[in-house]
Amino acid sequence: MALARTHHPDADADTAPIVHAHDEAALWHTGQTRRSGDPLLTHCLAVAAIVADVGMPPSVICAALLHDIVDTHCPPGRVSEYFGPEVADLIHAVRTAELSAIPLESLTVDHARPSAPPTREEAVLAIRLADRLHNMRTIAFVAPAKQYRKARETIDVLAPLARAAGLTEVSRELHDLSAAVLRPTTSASGLNPRLLTLLTLLLPAPHRARWQEEWHAELATLPTRRTRIRFTLRVLLGTPGLSLTLRRPLWRERRW
């Protein structure tokens, strides 16, 4: 693969497992697509390319290529058998690690890193950051509420982690992509977000947080002032009916 030879030009022997990992990912992700309609394999390749670009070794690139293989019919234990327990462990850790628990002072995942191999935490972080970066690049295809949640988490957790690890460019792009999603709801000049928040007060208390998040996320995806105003008016007119619908089960319970 070109990404392996670009970042490890003196280690042709190391490209073999990366080519094998690519073929394995292509095999098990056959027929799977993303919300954009692109083959899922394009996401695996993008994540691996980002991981290679920040200087990760071949084993981490292999794990990046295979990081979503557990969502396929790939038999358990196959990755460990073909690629070794280190790659299998990284894939498991990528899906289970709590990034907020990683001590920032222990991270050094940058181009100027020493010749020593990355720690397990650094390898996991590199893959998770690459995964989120490509997902943020294609976030337009995700539902509005999920866009808002992912952007909020990215700007609060992932971008600072990337910056602490020395990945300045990755951190900057994560921040900018997230801000583009969040900006309409955080703009000081926008009356619409404040009005939507006030409208949630008409709803039963247990439902307010959910509807506030959904309305704000939907608002954040609208490109023009006119469309945001129209959406806000639609919510304004529909909130009384929604409030009655949400309260109706409570009334039935009280009659009993």
Side-chain angles (χ1 to χ4, degrees):
M1 291 176 66
L3 64 86
R5 295 188 179 92
T6 298
H7 297 281
H8 301 279
D10 299 324
D12 288 341
D14 288 336
T15 65
I18 296 176
V19 173
H20 185 192
H22 167 271
D23 294 344
E24 192 77 1
L27 170 66
W28 295 106
H29 289 303
T30 298
Q32 292 186 329
T33 59
R34 310 193 80 213
R35 288 184 178 89
S36 63
D38 293 332
L40 184 61
L41 183 63
T42 61
H43 172 67
C44 302
L45 290 171
V47 173
I50 296 168
V51 165
D53 193 49
V54 300
M56 287 290 108
S59 61
V60 183
I61 299 173
C62 287
L65 281 166
L66 299 169
H67 76 280
D68 277 335
I69 203 169
V70 294
D71 295 326
T72 71
H73 295 295
C74 178
R78 181 179 174 95
V79 171
S80 182
E81 178 183 353
Y82 281 81
F83 299 94
E86 178 187 356
V87 172
D89 176 65
L90 280 178
I91 294 171
H92 175 73
V94 163
R95 300 179 70 88
T96 59
E98 291 290 339
L99 293 186
S100 58
I102 295 178
L104 300 184
E105 64 275 7
S106 68
L107 301 176
T108 309
V109 190
D110 58 17
H111 295 283
R113 63 175 297 111
S115 57
T119 66
R120 181 175 181 269
E121 288 180 336
E122 291 168 348
V124 169
L125 177 62
I127 298 173
R128 286 284 292 272
L129 290 174
D131 179 57
R132 180 57 61 88
L133 180 55
H134 186 245
N135 283 335
M136 291 304 300
R137 288 172 178 173
T138 56
I139 201 168
F141 299 99
V142 175
K146 189 173 182 179
Q147 283 190 34
Y148 182 86
R149 289 196 301 271
K150 292 297 183 183
R152 185 79 269 164
E153 180 188 42
T154 300
I155 209 167
D156 289 343
V157 179
L158 279 297
L161 274 172
R163 185 170 60 252
L167 300 177
T168 307
E169 292 302 317
V170 172
S171 175
R172 182 179 296 115
E173 187 175 357
L174 286 171
H175 183 279
D176 291 347
L177 290 170
S178 302
V181 174
L182 299 171
R183 190 175 295 120
T185 63
T186 56
S187 171
S189 61
L191 175 62
N192 297 345
R194 293 195 293 273
L195 179 56
L196 291 177
T197 299
L198 288 174
L199 286 173
T200 61
L201 297 178
L202 299 176
L203 305 177
H207 298 277
R208 290 172 188 167
R210 173 206 163 187
W211 285 100
Q212 179 176 338
E213 180 178 316
E214 290 198 13
W215 289 343
H216 282 219
E218 178 72 19
L219 188 69
T221 66
L222 300 176
T224 66
R225 184 172 180 271
R226 175 177 292 183
T227 56
R228 291 195 290 273
I229 290 175
R230 287 170 58 187
F231 172 75
T232 304
L233 289 175
R234 189 164 71 248
V235 172
L236 178 63
L237 294 174
T239 299
L242 175 62
S243 179
L244 289 174
T245 299
L246 294 175
R247 293 176 191 276
R248 194 166 293 131
L250 297 178
W251 292 343
R252 292 196 185 105
E253 289 177 6
R254 284 171 184 168
R255 288 172 185 167
W256 288 101

